[in-house]
Amino acid sequence: MSEAKKVSRRKTLAKWLKENILRLGPTFIKIGQQFSTRVDILAQEYIDQLSELQDQVPPFPSENVVSILEEEFGSPLDDIFDRFDLEPIAAASLGQVHRAQLKGQEVVVKVQRPGLKDLFDIDLKNLRVIAEYLQKIDPKSDGAKRDWVAIYDECANVLYQEIDYIKEASNAELFAKNFKNLDYVKVPTIYWDYTTTQVLTMEYVPGIKINRIQALDQLGVDRKRLGRYAVESYLEQILSHGFFHADPHPGNIAVDDVNGGRLIFYDFGMMGSISSDIREGLLEVFYGVYEKDPDKLLQAMIQMGVLVPTGDMTAVRRTAQFFLNSFEKRLAEQKRERELAKTELGFKKPLSKEEKIAKRKQRLAAIGEDLLSIAADQPFRFPATFTFVVRAFSVLDGIGKGLDPRFDISEISKPYAMELLRFREAGVELIIRDLRKRWDRQARAFSNLFRQADRVEKLAEVIQRLEQGDLKLRVRALESERAFQRVAAVQKTVGSAVAAGSLVNLATVLYLSSIRVPAMIAYGLCAFFGFQVLFGILKVRSLDQRERLITGTA
């Protein structure tokens, strides 16, 4: 198939996908909106079609708009606005936006789609059933793992809040208050006298969608700086305010030429909140990395609910220490490369793809045992609160790569984090933390004076229980576990091969004896066991590859 035919086929499939998403309704439209920003995942033909879901959803009839406005405000439309454009300037999954004039001021009026709550009730009820089913069958849904129902509850709660325009107006005002001192962020002003649960009236602030690259270039703004502003604004929302925009697709972020390029945020219906414990935990993660302290890093992850303490945290701690050391070495290498690049002799040939893969395998092989131990205990989990944080940064990463091919969200975040660290280190925080450390050391030393006798007594009790057989020690040998796992896979494969061979012989004898129906059944069972043999061989090969990766052998 030629490249032209491939492009044509992708266009056809992308159009079909967009049309079916529109038919499925608001819930699936929002999923399509998220993927419309992933230029690094989807082909451009899909991006072009899914981008239309952001603000080109088919509008609902103007008669319904007039009916809703007059019912909400209890007056004819002409008595409410000086001018009202029945043709919407944008239509989204939950509502549509009309330009109007109110007491001489240019405004936009957002009107909710009729019957939206009933549709949400149906879609979310079905998704609740799916979440409960996944909770039962997903092996990672027990204990400190993945909580599908909690993630659903978080999503449902946010979606129901999104169709309450009074709540959205309050969110917009709080968001504007948080960014009142940053001149590169603009939030439209809310007109409260003309806002209800289904109608939202706000200041008209025009701009260019942040993913319209050619239009941004014509406007003369710095696209690289825009990408940095977007990331920094989200770090500010999450770390400083604990209140963030949870739906940052390009339809909700625009740019104007004020102050050399200003971010305009729209649609504050879907917002996320982060508790003070999680925010403090995120800051402590920065401190743990900055101070190269694995204990502090793990304690911060426990505080955030990302890590659940298990009986033995040794493997987790060693892995954290390994990655901290690797991170430090990587920073040193980058600094050395930048210094060498300034000289004529500083040219360094970049690593090939094969060399990068080999280097990555070496790093993983160095901590293979610990990684296997962690995977078995599964102490990590994904709190529902983080669902929208990860989604927001995923969307921002897609937007940033569209603005600047060399966009690196981690590199942009690093200076912000370091500035935050320096700010806190320079203030009272340093004194408080130093006093707290001193107090903890003194308290531990004082308490140890009285606990030594208890510890000796407890140790003697444990030894006595071991001698009596009341207490058993379980020693875990990961190498033996992997060997037994491979032996079990080989035995199952051999058994399936024997069964397949016996069945094919039986089927052949029956077929030659004109006993057709039992012969066909035997052939079918032979095919089944033949597939089991194939899967077994693949599993053994996978186990062997993992063993080579862990041991570092070729």
Side-chain angles (χ1 to χ4, degrees):
M1 181 178 286
S2 65
E3 187 60 32
K5 289 184 178 179
K6 290 181 181 178
V7 171
S8 176
R9 181 172 178 79
R10 285 199 296 265
K11 287 182 178 179
T12 303
L13 289 174
K15 186 176 181 180
W16 174 88
L17 178 63
K18 183 201 72 174
E19 291 173 351
N20 280 276
I21 286 176
L22 288 172
R23 286 168 52 193
L24 287 170
T27 307
F28 299 92
I29 288 175
K30 289 203 164 289
I31 295 174
Q33 287 174 350
Q34 179 177 1
F35 279 99
S36 69
T37 65
R38 300 305 302 184
V39 295
D40 55 328
I41 297 177
L42 297 178
Q44 188 60 43
E45 292 78 14
Y46 290 94
I47 297 296
D48 294 339
Q49 288 293 326
L50 294 179
S51 295
E52 297 181 7
L53 297 174
Q54 293 160 7
D55 58 2
Q56 297 182 24
V57 180
F60 56 91
S62 58
E63 294 82 6
N64 292 346
V65 174
V66 175
S67 175
I68 292 173
L69 289 172
E70 292 182 346
E71 182 178 352
E72 289 293 307
F73 296 121
S75 302
L77 186 62
D78 293 337
D79 294 344
I80 304 171
F81 298 100
D82 301 337
R83 188 196 79 250
F84 189 90
D85 298 343
L86 293 177
E87 187 69 23
I89 59 175
S93 55
L94 305 184
Q96 61 191 41
V97 180
H98 297 257
R99 285 193 64 178
Q101 191 175 67
L102 179 65
K103 299 179 180 179
Q105 299 292 326
E106 288 295 320
V107 298
V108 291
V109 182
K110 185 177 178 181
V111 184
Q112 191 176 112
R113 289 181 177 272
L116 191 60
K117 185 179 183 304
D118 295 335
L119 187 60
F120 262 49
D121 290 341
I122 296 172
D123 285 344
L124 293 176
K125 187 180 293 183
N126 292 331
L127 289 174
R128 172 79 186 197
V129 174
I130 295 174
E132 291 174 350
Y133 178 72
L134 290 173
Q135 188 81 5
K136 293 177 182 178
I137 68 170
D138 186 4
K140 295 184 178 180
S141 296
D142 297 328
K145 302 164 193 176
R146 185 181 296 135
D147 192 342
W148 287 102
V149 174
I151 293 174
Y152 161 82
D153 290 337
E154 181 80 10
C155 294
N157 181 53
V158 171
L159 286 174
Y160 274 117
Q161 289 183 12
E162 192 173 3
I163 59 176
D164 182 356
Y165 285 174
I166 295 288
K167 178 67 175 175
E168 180 176 347
S170 300
N171 291 339
E173 284 205 337
L174 178 57
F175 193 89
K177 180 182 178 182
N178 290 340
F179 282 96
K180 64 181 180 180
N181 295 325
L182 291 180
D183 56 2
Y184 66 81
V185 173
K186 170 63 179 175
V187 179
T189 303
I190 302 298
Y191 291 86
W192 280 99
D193 292 339
Y194 299 88
T195 295
T196 67
T197 55
Q198 296 188 60
V199 179
L200 176 60
T201 305
M202 54 189 161
E203 176 188 5
Y204 175 59
V205 185
I208 298 171
K209 285 174 60 175
I210 197 169
N211 64 341
R212 296 289 172 85
I213 305 301
Q214 293 183 352
L216 292 176
D217 290 339
Q218 292 175 359
L219 193 64
V221 299
D222 187 342
R223 288 193 276 123
K224 185 176 181 180
R225 184 175 62 178
L226 284 179
R228 187 176 73 251
Y229 281 167
V231 174
E232 289 180 354
S233 68
Y234 261 81
L235 290 171
E236 186 76 16
Q237 293 172 48
I238 292 170
L239 295 179
S240 299
H241 308 139
F243 183 72
F244 66 96
H245 198 299
D247 193 22
H249 64 76
N252 289 337
I253 304 178
V255 180
D256 61 14
D257 58 354
V258 177
N259 297 323
R262 181 177 60 173
L263 295 175
I264 307 169
F265 284 88
Y266 305 124
D267 194 351
F268 298 91
M270 184 179 288
M271 305 296 290
S273 297
I274 299 179
S275 67
S276 58
D277 288 342
I278 293 179
R279 272 189 292 154
E280 286 296 323
L282 287 171
L283 292 175
E284 290 300 325
V285 166
F286 282 141
Y287 272 112
V289 174
Y290 179 65
E291 298 176 358
K292 308 175 189 62
D293 187 344
D295 293 322
K296 179 172 290 187
L297 183 62
L298 297 182
Q299 189 59 41
M301 297 176 73
I302 292 171
Q303 180 179 347
M304 291 188 295
V306 175
L307 178 64
V308 175
T310 58
D312 184 10
M313 295 288 289
T314 305
V316 182
R317 188 188 182 282
R318 285 203 302 261
T319 305
Q321 183 67 66
F322 176 86
F323 281 110
L324 285 175
N325 294 338
S326 300
F327 180 70
E328 183 182 6
K329 290 178 182 178
R330 179 58 184 158
L331 290 179
E333 289 176 3
Q334 290 178 347
K335 183 178 180 181
R336 189 162 52 249
E337 289 173 2
R338 287 195 297 268
E339 291 175 351
L340 290 174
K342 296 178 181 178
T343 66
E344 294 182 358
L345 300 176
F347 177 75
K348 183 178 180 181
K349 183 180 178 181
L351 295 176
S352 64
K353 184 177 180 181
E354 291 76 14
E355 290 173 333
K356 290 180 180 178
I357 294 175
K359 196 171 182 180
R360 189 180 302 118
K361 286 184 177 181
Q362 290 175 1
R363 289 197 299 268
L364 291 175
I367 57 167
E369 295 286 347
D370 290 336
L371 288 176
L372 275 183
S373 179
I374 292 171
D377 292 336
Q378 293 181 332
F380 293 97
R381 64 184 178 185
F382 189 70
T385 309
F386 282 7
T387 305
F388 296 105
V389 176
V390 175
R391 179 183 182 275
F393 277 102
S394 174
V395 172
L396 286 175
D397 190 48
I399 292 173
K401 284 182 169 62
L403 292 171
D404 178 16
R406 294 176 295 179
F407 178 85
D408 186 345
I409 196 168
S410 61
E411 287 297 319
I412 295 174
S413 304
K414 193 188 305 178
Y416 183 91
M418 296 305 296
E419 181 180 352
L420 183 64
L421 289 171
R422 285 195 296 269
F423 173 77
R424 293 190 67 182
E425 291 285 357
V428 182
E429 181 77 17
L430 179 62
I431 301 174
I432 294 176
R433 291 198 305 118
D434 184 61
L435 290 174
R436 186 181 299 167
K437 286 181 180 178
R438 291 174 181 271
W439 171 261
D440 290 342
R441 283 198 298 267
Q442 295 295 331
R444 283 196 299 269
F446 184 75
S447 62
N448 284 338
L449 293 175
F450 300 94
R451 293 174 60 184
Q452 294 301 326
D454 292 338
R455 288 178 177 177
V456 173
E457 185 180 349
K458 288 181 179 178
L459 182 60
E461 182 183 348
V462 170
I463 295 174
Q464 183 179 5
R465 291 179 64 189
L466 284 172
E467 292 174 346
Q468 295 174 351
D470 296 333
L471 185 65
K472 295 182 179 179
L473 291 177
R474 184 172 67 91
V475 180
R476 189 173 181 185
L478 295 175
E479 291 182 358
S480 300
E481 289 182 11
R482 296 198 304 272
F484 285 134
Q485 190 177 9
R486 187 183 186 282
V487 169
V490 171
Q491 287 179 344
K492 184 177 180 181
T493 304
V494 171
S496 298
V498 172
S502 302
L503 285 168
V504 73
N505 290 332
L506 175 63
T508 303
V509 171
L510 292 174
Y511 188 83
L512 294 176
S513 302
S514 300
I515 307 176
R516 301 297 174 83
V517 174
M520 298 307 295
I521 294 174
Y523 276 127
L525 292 173
C526 175
F528 171 76
F529 283 105
F531 280 115
Q532 293 295 318
V533 172
L534 177 61
F535 293 147
I537 293 173
L538 293 176
K539 184 175 181 179
V540 172
R541 288 186 60 185
S542 175
L543 292 173
D544 290 340
Q545 289 176 357
R546 187 174 69 168
E547 184 68 24
R548 286 194 294 270
L549 177 63
I550 292 169
T551 58
T553 58

